[in-house]
Amino acid sequence: MTTGSQGNQLPWVEKYRPKTLADVVGNAATVDRLRVIEENGNCPHLLLSGLPGIGKTTSVHCLAHALLGDAYKEAVLELNASDDRGIDVVRNKIKAFAQKKVSLPPGRHKIIILDEADSMTPGAQQALRRTMELYAKTTRFAFACNQSNKIIEPLQSRCAILRFGRLRDEEVLQRLVEISKQEGVQYSDEGLAAVVFTADGDLRQAVNNLQSTWTGLGFVSPDNVFVVCDQPHPIIVRTMLEACAKGDIDTALEKLDEVWNTGYSSVDIVTTLFRVTRTLDSLAEPVKLDFIKEIGWTHMRVLEGVGTLLQLSGLLSRLARTAIDPKLVTYT
Ligand SMILES: Nc1ncnc2c1ncn2[C@@H]1O[C@H](COP(=O)(O)OP(=O)(O)OP(=O)(O)O)[C@@H](O)[C@H]1O
Ligand SMILES: [Mg+2]
């Protein structure tokens, strides 16, 4: 068996981090807005928000590189969740940087990148309000965060808000194919589809899963991917759902036992059930919607703490009943 030999090199997520906005995959409308800013050079305060691993940090760095060129090192201050960003830092470090004189290309501004800004305390965010205005002539702020509702309203209203959405499966796949070609990864098409499935729109996770499977097992096939990523195998979960759709509860429960006895938690199982249902073409649309609704309720109960086998068995019986006669189910 040949295995990948990239042990001592950069992880692929870093090696293939886009250097320019043109290389950023997906979210075309949002990236286009950044490109317009790159072209006219006048960067507003920015707030980039969206799920993990979809290119927020990358895009803001690409933009800063394009705007500032060689001055990047001197004219960009990056503070992320690993730095202390309490009120003192805002008062001292950020203000000192904003006041610092740096020679820049004409019409450009210094940029302060506050990554993972949703983890800043509201106090520290408050302290930024006036600072942002006072130094706006020379310094622009770029915030990146997962949850924009954790950013206080006054900061949001000072920023151009750019939302990044989950990447589409085709986009993730295309990137994986490119990386696989460059790294000489041996894969089957189903293997890459499995990586896309495990990542659920998160490109960083997809690239990591691809690298782990290739370096660990030497071939990217669905079975290897699910072993490495340690997720319930969607084929078993699909059989479970298809059995429910036929009203065959015995087979469904048998499969559930099989997955449960492998040691997966109820959250793993319920999330896989949801993701498989979403892509299950054999289900008629109304049945699919009913299934998703039921799975959603169960997900909620599991997150509230009742993640027993009985809970999941109950879900499957309700699914089987919905499939036979949708009117029998009442949602409580
Ligand atoms: N849109 C994308 N185009 C190309 N590569 C991407 C994209 N999104 C993520 N990646 C890959 O995933 C890695 C992480 O991306 P990035 O740091 O931009 O994520 P993020 O959106 O800031 O996530 P987080 O919210 O966790 O900080 C990058 O190094 C790159 O390899
Ligand atoms: Mg980030």
Side-chain angles (χ1 to χ4, degrees):
M1 182 167 70
T2 52
T3 47
S5 56
Q6 287 77 24
N8 54 358
Q9 289 182 6
L10 275 179
W12 292 351
V13 273
E14 291 311 326
K15 189 167 172 191
Y16 294 97
R17 189 186 279 276
K19 305 270 182 306
T20 63
L21 283 175
D23 296 335
V24 175
V25 179
N27 283 301
T30 312
V31 176
D32 275 347
R33 280 179 71 190
L34 290 171
R35 263 202 230 139
V36 172
I37 297 173
E38 177 185 312
E39 272 156 30
N40 77 20
N42 185 9
C43 177
H45 297 308
L46 293 173
L47 172 59
L48 290 79
S49 76
L51 295 163
I54 52 178
K56 300 178 301 295
T57 306
T58 310
S59 305
V60 78
H61 281 278
C62 291
L63 177 69
H65 270 292
L67 287 174
L68 298 167
D70 292 339
Y72 177 89
K73 259 207 169 128
E74 260 199 297
V76 172
L77 172 69
E78 190 201 345
L79 293 171
N80 54 46
S82 64
D83 301 297
D84 177 14
R85 292 182 301 190
I87 296 189
D88 285 347
V89 173
V90 174
R91 282 199 195 113
N92 305 324
K93 207 166 171 180
I94 294 186
K95 271 196 184 170
F97 177 81
Q99 286 164 347
K100 188 170 91 174
K101 290 247 177 316
V102 178
S103 50
L104 291 175
R108 300 296 150 90
H109 305 87
K110 285 179 284 181
I111 300 178
I112 298 181
I113 300 175
L114 288 161
D115 209 352
E116 292 122 28
D118 36 8
S119 68
M120 285 177 81
T121 60
Q125 295 186 32
Q126 294 286 359
L128 278 175
R129 292 166 66 168
R130 192 68 187 131
T131 316
M132 284 173 76
E133 288 171 356
L134 285 177
Y135 301 105
K137 239 181 163 181
T138 56
T139 309
R140 298 295 154 86
F141 285 76
F143 300 90
C145 65
N146 295 130
Q147 289 164 292
S148 60
N149 60 0
K150 294 258 174 74
I151 307 291
I152 59 168
E153 287 284 338
L155 289 196
Q156 292 194 34
S157 83
R158 285 166 171 77
C159 295
I161 299 181
L162 300 176
R163 290 192 200 285
F164 280 72
R166 193 189 290 278
L167 297 179
R168 290 209 309 274
D169 284 354
E170 310 85 81
E171 293 162 345
V172 176
L173 182 64
Q174 182 205 337
R175 187 74 177 169
L176 291 179
V177 170
E178 272 169 37
I179 295 180
S180 300
K181 277 209 184 110
Q182 301 210 28
E183 293 292 334
V185 173
Q186 293 171 23
Y187 61 86
S188 65
D189 289 346
E190 297 78 24
L192 283 194
V195 177
V196 172
F197 179 87
T198 56
D200 200 20
D202 173 342
L203 189 47
R204 173 172 40 219
Q205 171 111 59
V207 174
N208 276 332
N209 290 351
L210 178 72
Q211 185 172 16
S212 319
T213 312
W214 166 237
T215 36
L217 299 174
F219 186 73
V220 183
S221 64
D223 286 347
N224 287 352
V225 171
F226 292 113
V227 167
V228 169
C229 303
D230 203 16
Q231 289 190 8
H233 202 304
I235 298 211
I236 305 184
V237 175
R238 193 169 75 200
T239 323
M240 208 188 291
L241 284 162
E242 281 169 351
C244 287
K246 283 189 243 135
D248 176 4
I249 186 67
D250 291 337
T251 313
L253 288 177
E254 220 171 81
K255 292 288 165 195
L256 174 64
D257 274 346
E258 193 179 323
V259 182
W260 182 265
N261 290 332
T262 327
Y264 291 111
S265 73
S266 29
V267 177
D268 287 338
I269 298 175
V270 108
T271 1
T272 314
L273 273 169
F274 170 70
R275 276 152 57 182
V276 173
T277 308
R278 213 175 47 183
T279 51
L280 198 63
D281 293 332
S282 60
L283 285 184
E285 199 66 16
V287 181
K288 199 188 256 188
L289 291 176
D290 279 342
F291 272 32
I292 286 178
K293 210 190 252 177
E294 272 299 333
I295 295 170
W297 281 113
T298 306
H299 197 166
M300 194 181 76
R301 290 186 200 117
V302 168
L303 292 180
E304 281 172 351
V306 198
T308 53
L309 181 60
L310 185 62
Q311 180 75 264
L312 296 177
S313 310
L315 168 65
L316 293 189
S317 359
R318 281 194 304 278
L319 294 185
R321 205 162 54 163
T322 328
I324 301 169
D325 185 356
K327 287 190 290 300
L328 284 175
V329 177
T330 49
Y331 301 106
T332 47

